[in-house]
């Protein structure tokens, strides 16, 4: 008779024991599987949180330490009213980021966006602007902000959803003399895609935009996700509807001088804030960027605060899982040891007919595994039923006992500033709790862990069998 | 040609207290042997040595002229001998047929029927069989295993006189009709009467009793 047949006969004929063992294994498996699924869910929630928060760092000219910073006095200005002269300086870095640098940084794995802007405050000929809520210097009336970028699609205002391109196309690195304006501004001025805006380049002599004419063609129209709220103070040139995006070439021409050939600051968004250190290190290792000129500022605090309670939960779940596994193995080993002791006569008969001890222990193992296969299968349903509730409960607990007191961490995280204009807020995934569900991957893990527990428990319980000497068979059996 | 031989076998559980002293003898197939002796005289010990459950302190046990330790005691137990105990011979979660099939090299059912078990009895829960029926199953297992030697330790100890007689008859038949070498340890004179050869253990020595 084969070892499998013997095991099968035992399991099917000793129904009481089989049912009891089935129940024990079902409970253990439910615990393990629930733990595994919560673990997976908490890992997923952490990943989700990281990806939704993203990570950001800024790279900019190190104004205080860079050897490339130049400070030049500009023509003294005489205040018309007071008659006082005030001297001002022009400070700039001779080393700036180029579009090539931006492309290289974008190529670093883990970098989502890399954007940079030049900005100019200038008047466009005949362009009627939306008035702001606070008045500005008479000099700046009719001025608006023109942002010179390599690529509007990567600009923070677009990547964060603060602005959406409603019509036309984005500005790309290859474009020259193009612009994107707001749909509102276009309507106000009866402009459409293909029309031109005219401005003049800055003249240092005249201290004004009186230089050669520059024409930019409108290639796209954007709509803002939200305009500033009622009562919020904003200048005319800061009003989002008055914003003009242009290509880098046009921006340089507006500027007039030779000084600003690139960007003095970059804004980098990464996929996973956990990767921050690596990405920053890789960016710093890129060729073609002179790091004497620049410095990096990382802001990962938002992520770290938001991730703390989830990390606590994760630790808790892992600890719990280890405890469950160890306790299960001990309980199972004790029960099996007890049962093996009641099987002395059976062992005696087997040994007397020449069945090896290893084959006897093997039979016990197969018996438990046969029951376990079914119990583990059923635990898929039982643990699915309870996993969701336990998961949410644990999350609540860990939120309350997390390292951040008072302030609700989630709300802190949610108020993260996204985009320079601070118009958009993204909801965090944890606000809806953790979604726990038992997957087939968890079931596979359970079978691995469960079988390991069973092998340990059966080995421990088989000491009784190993100790029995054949010569004791006759004396013990009679 | 003897199938089992004892060559100057001595055995002591503790040093200086020999249970068996320099025992020699030979056993043949086709014969039933009875080993007689008072309680504690070493009958079970002798059977353990013959069955390869233990090794002699001195001397050797031969099967077919070869020391049973040569191929390993397990090999000897599995292939050469069948053990029958006073009780608990059967696996309680197996039917009589399955108990016989546990080691069977031969077809179980005809042997069980030949030993007087009814068709419905051979698939019944073994615990619902009488002591005599259980011993029949144990003997059937011994016969079906095709091992040439049957070693029985007080197989009728738990049975009433009539049943004991039947079992003894079956053991005798196993020797005579099936050609086994049957060794029955007993302290029953009735069993001994049926044996072809009666051996007695006295103070560690084995002697053949003249009939
Ligand atoms: N495991 C053992 N350890 C020590 N002494 C034993 C052991 N088994 C039996 N004995 C002793 O060996 C002697 C022979 O025992 P045994 O062979 O069982 O006798 P019998 O079967 O004739 O009653 C007895 O004195 C008994 O006390
Ligand atoms: Mg005895």
């Amino acid at each position: 008779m084969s070892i499998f047949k013997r095991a099968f006969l035992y399991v099917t004929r000793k129904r009481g024991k089989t049912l009891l063992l089935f129940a024990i294994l079902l409970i253990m498996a439910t615990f393990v599987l629930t733990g595994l699924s919560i673990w997976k869910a908490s890992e997923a929630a952490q990943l989700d949180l990281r990806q939704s928060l993203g990570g950001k760092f800024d790279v900019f000219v190190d104004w205080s330490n860079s050897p490339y910073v130049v400070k030049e006095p500009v023509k003294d200005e005489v205040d018309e009213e007071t008659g006082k002269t005030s001297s001002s300086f022009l400070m700039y870095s001779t080393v700036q980021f180029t579009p090539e640098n931006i492309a290289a940084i974008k190529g670093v794995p883990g970098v989502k966006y890399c954007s940079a802007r030049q900005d100019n405050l200038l008047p466009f000929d005949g362009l009627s602007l939306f008035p702001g809520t606070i008045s500005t210097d008479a000099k700046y009336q009719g001025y608006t902000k023109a942002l010179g970028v390599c690529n509007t699609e990567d600009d923070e205002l677009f990547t964060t959803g603060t602005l959406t391109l409603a019509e036309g196309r984005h500005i790309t690195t290859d474009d020259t003399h193009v612009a994107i304006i707001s749909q509102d501004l276009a309507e106000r001025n009866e402009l459409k895609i293909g029309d031109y805006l005219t401005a003049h380049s800055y003249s240092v002599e005249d201290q004004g935009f009186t230089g050669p004419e520059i024409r930019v063609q409108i290639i796209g129209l954007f709509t803002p996700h939200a305009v500033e709220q009622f009562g919020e103070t904003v200048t005319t040139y800061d009003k989002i509807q008055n914003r003009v995006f242009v290509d880098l070439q046009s921006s340089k021409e507006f500027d007039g001088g030779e000084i600003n050939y690139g960007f003095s600051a970059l804004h980098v968004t990464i996929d996973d804030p956990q990767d921050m250190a690596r990405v920053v290190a890789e960016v710093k290792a890129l060729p073609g960027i002179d790091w004497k000129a620049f410095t990096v500022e990382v802001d990962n605090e938002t992520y770290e605060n938001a991730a703390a309670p989830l990390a606590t939960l994760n630790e808790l779940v892992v600890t719990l899982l280890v405890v469950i596994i160890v306790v299960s193995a001990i309980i199972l080993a004790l029960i099996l040891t007890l049962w093996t002791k009641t099987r002395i006569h059976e062992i005696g008969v087997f040994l007397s007919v020449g069945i090896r001890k290893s084959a006897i222990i093997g039979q016990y193992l197969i018996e438990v595994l046969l029951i376990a296969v079914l119990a583990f299968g059923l635990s898929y349903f039982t643990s699915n039923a309870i996993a969701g509730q336990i998961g949410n409960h644990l999350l609540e607990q860990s939120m309350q006992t997390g390292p951040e007191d008072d302030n609700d961490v989630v709300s802190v995280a949610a108020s993260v500033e996204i985009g320079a204009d601070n118009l958009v807020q993204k909801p965090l995934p944890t606000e809806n709790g953790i979604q726990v569900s038992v997957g087939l991957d968890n079931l596979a893990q359970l079978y691995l862990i469960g079988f390991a527990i069973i092998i340990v428990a059966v080995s421990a319980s088989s000491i009784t069998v190993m100790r029995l000497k054949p010569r004791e068979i006759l004396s013990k059996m009679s | 040609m003897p199938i089992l031989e004892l060559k100057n076998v001595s055995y002591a559980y503790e040093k200086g207290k020999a249970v068996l002293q320099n025992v020699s003898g030979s056993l043949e197939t086709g014969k039933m042997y009875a080993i007689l002796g008072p309680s504690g005289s070493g009958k079970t010990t002798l059977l353990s040595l013959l069955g390869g459950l233990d090794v002699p302190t001195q001397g050797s046990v031969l099967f077919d002229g070869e020391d049973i330790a040569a191929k390993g005691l397990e090999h000897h137990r599995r292939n050469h001998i069948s053990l029958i105990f006073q009780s608990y011979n059967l696996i309680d979660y197996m039917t009589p047929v399955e108990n016989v099939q546990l080691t069977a090299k031969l077809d179980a059912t005809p042997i069980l029927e030949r030993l007087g078990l009814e068709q419905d009895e051979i698939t019944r829960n073994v615990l619902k069989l009488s002591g005599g029926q259980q011993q029949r199953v144990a003997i059937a297992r011994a016969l079906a295993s095709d091992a040439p030697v049957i070693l029985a330790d007080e197989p009728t100890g738990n049975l009433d006189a009539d049943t004991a007689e039947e079992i003894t008859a079956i053991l005798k038949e196993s020797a005579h009709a099936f050609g086994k070498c049957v060794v029955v340890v007993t302290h029953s004179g009735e069993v001994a009467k049926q044996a072809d050869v009666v051996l007695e253990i006295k103070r560690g020595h084995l002697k053949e009793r003249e009939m």
Side-chain angles (χ1 to χ4, degrees), chain A residues 5-252:
Chain A
K5 172 119 193 243
R6 295 203 311 263
F8 180 77
L9 288 177
Y10 187 84
V11 169
T12 50
R13 303 265 166 85
K14 298 272 185 185
R15 300 221 183 96
K17 272 188 179 176
T18 299
L19 272 176
L20 190 57
L21 192 59
F22 182 82
I24 292 165
L25 288 171
L26 179 63
I27 293 167
M28 284 176 183
T30 304
F31 273 119
V32 172
L33 203 48
T34 305
L36 284 172
S37 63
I38 295 172
W39 187 19
K40 182 181 76 174
S42 106
E43 296 262 301
Q46 287 194 63
L47 188 73
D48 212 26
L49 177 70
R50 294 207 303 266
Q51 283 173 349
S52 83
L53 287 177
K56 293 189 203 98
F57 63 94
D58 292 303
V59 192
F60 46 84
V61 169
D62 188 351
W63 296 109
S64 38
N65 300 318
S66 165
Y68 306 112
V69 169
V70 179
K71 206 174 168 188
E72 278 175 2
V74 287
K75 198 174 126 188
D76 288 349
E77 218 172 304
V78 185
D79 195 296
E80 282 159 22
E81 282 169 31
T82 59
K84 280 184 183 169
T85 46
S86 61
S87 46
S88 53
F89 290 92
L90 183 64
M91 201 158 116
Y92 64 94
S93 170
T94 57
V95 173
Q96 294 168 13
F97 289 114
T98 61
E100 288 72 41
N101 293 151
I102 293 175
I105 291 171
K106 266 183 84 173
V108 170
V111 170
K112 206 168 173 185
Y113 309 112
C114 177
S115 61
R117 297 166 178 164
Q118 277 193 352
D119 55 12
N120 288 290
L121 213 53
L122 79 161
F124 284 90
D125 294 351
L127 190 66
S128 161
L129 300 171
F130 290 92
T133 52
I134 43 171
S135 54
T136 48
D137 255 28
K139 178 183 166 189
Y140 293 118
Q141 266 166 25
Y143 277 47
T144 192
K145 211 178 245 177
L147 300 177
V149 298
C150 293
N151 190 328
T152 44
E153 204 170 3
D154 284 350
D155 189 87
E156 251 199 312
L157 284 166
F158 285 97
T159 58
T160 56
T162 309
L163 304 182
T164 12
L165 188 72
E167 238 184 274
R169 64 170 182 89
H170 277 292
I171 297 172
T172 65
T173 324
D174 302 326
D175 284 316
T176 56
H177 299 108
V178 294
I180 293 178
I181 61 170
S182 78
Q183 213 159 27
D184 292 339
L185 193 66
E187 274 170 28
R188 188 181 174 97
N189 292 281
E190 291 178 349
L191 291 166
K192 56 185 192 306
I193 288 176
D195 290 346
Y196 287 87
L197 291 178
T198 318
H200 293 267
S201 72
Y202 189 76
S203 151
V204 186
E205 316 275 285
D206 300 351
Q207 298 256 321
F209 290 90
T210 55
E213 186 186 87
I214 303 145
R215 267 161 43 99
V216 289
Q217 188 179 27
I218 299 168
I219 59 163
L221 300 177
F222 69 80
T223 48
H225 180 261
V227 291
E228 73 282 351
Q229 265 150 35
F230 180 75
E232 205 175 314
T233 53
V234 65
T235 55
T236 300
Y237 56 75
D238 262 340
K239 252 188 108 63
I240 196 77
Q241 294 108 309
N242 294 338
R243 192 70 35 100
V244 176
F245 290 90
V246 295
D247 58 282
L248 183 60
Q249 177 60 33
S250 307
S251 179
K252 283 193 276 193

Side-chain angles (χ1 to χ4, degrees), chain B residues 145-210:
Chain B
S145 79
D146 211 23
V149 181
I150 295 174
L151 303 173
D153 196 356
E154 313 215 23
T156 58
N158 280 353
L159 306 176
D160 60 72
D162 286 352
T163 316
E165 203 174 308
E166 285 167 29
I167 295 301
T168 311
I170 290 171
L171 286 169
K172 194 172 170 182
E173 198 193 347
S174 302
H176 295 169
F178 289 84
K180 306 287 179 186
C181 168
V182 179
V183 183
V184 184
V185 160
T186 182
H187 49 246
S188 148
E190 293 301 310
V191 177
K193 264 189 217 162
Q194 299 294 318
D196 300 305
V197 182
V198 179
L199 303 164
E200 265 191 296
I201 300 183
K202 268 187 188 156
R203 273 171 255 106
H205 297 283
L206 188 68
K207 276 190 209 149
E208 195 169 325
R209 183 152 89 180
E210 302 301 326

Side-chain angles (χ1 to χ4, degrees), chain A residues 23 310 372:
Chain A
L310 283 178

Side-chain angles (χ1 to χ4, degrees), chain A residues 474-475 478, chain B residues 38-45 86 153-154 185 187:
Chain A
L474 281 174
S475 49
S478 300
Chain B
S39 193
S41 58
K43 304 184 296 291
T44 297
T45 306
Q86 188 170 341
D153 196 356
E154 313 215 23
V185 160
H187 49 246

Side-chain angles (χ1 to χ4, degrees), chain B residues 113-173:
Chain B
E113 280 171 353
R114 169 114 186 236
L115 295 198
L117 282 130
E118 303 289 329
Q119 186 61 48
D120 69 310
E121 286 165 346
I122 67 174
T123 51
R124 198 186 283 175
N125 183 337
V126 290
L127 298 178
K128 287 183 184 147
L129 296 177
S130 70
Q133 286 168 325
Q134 288 191 30
Q135 278 316 39
R136 283 170 207 250
V137 176
I139 297 167
R141 182 169 66 204
L143 295 177
S145 79
D146 211 23
V149 181
I150 295 174
L151 303 173
D153 196 356
E154 313 215 23
T156 58
N158 280 353
L159 306 176
D160 60 72
D162 286 352
T163 316
E165 203 174 308
E166 285 167 29
I167 295 301
T168 311
I170 290 171
L171 286 169
K172 194 172 170 182
E173 198 193 347

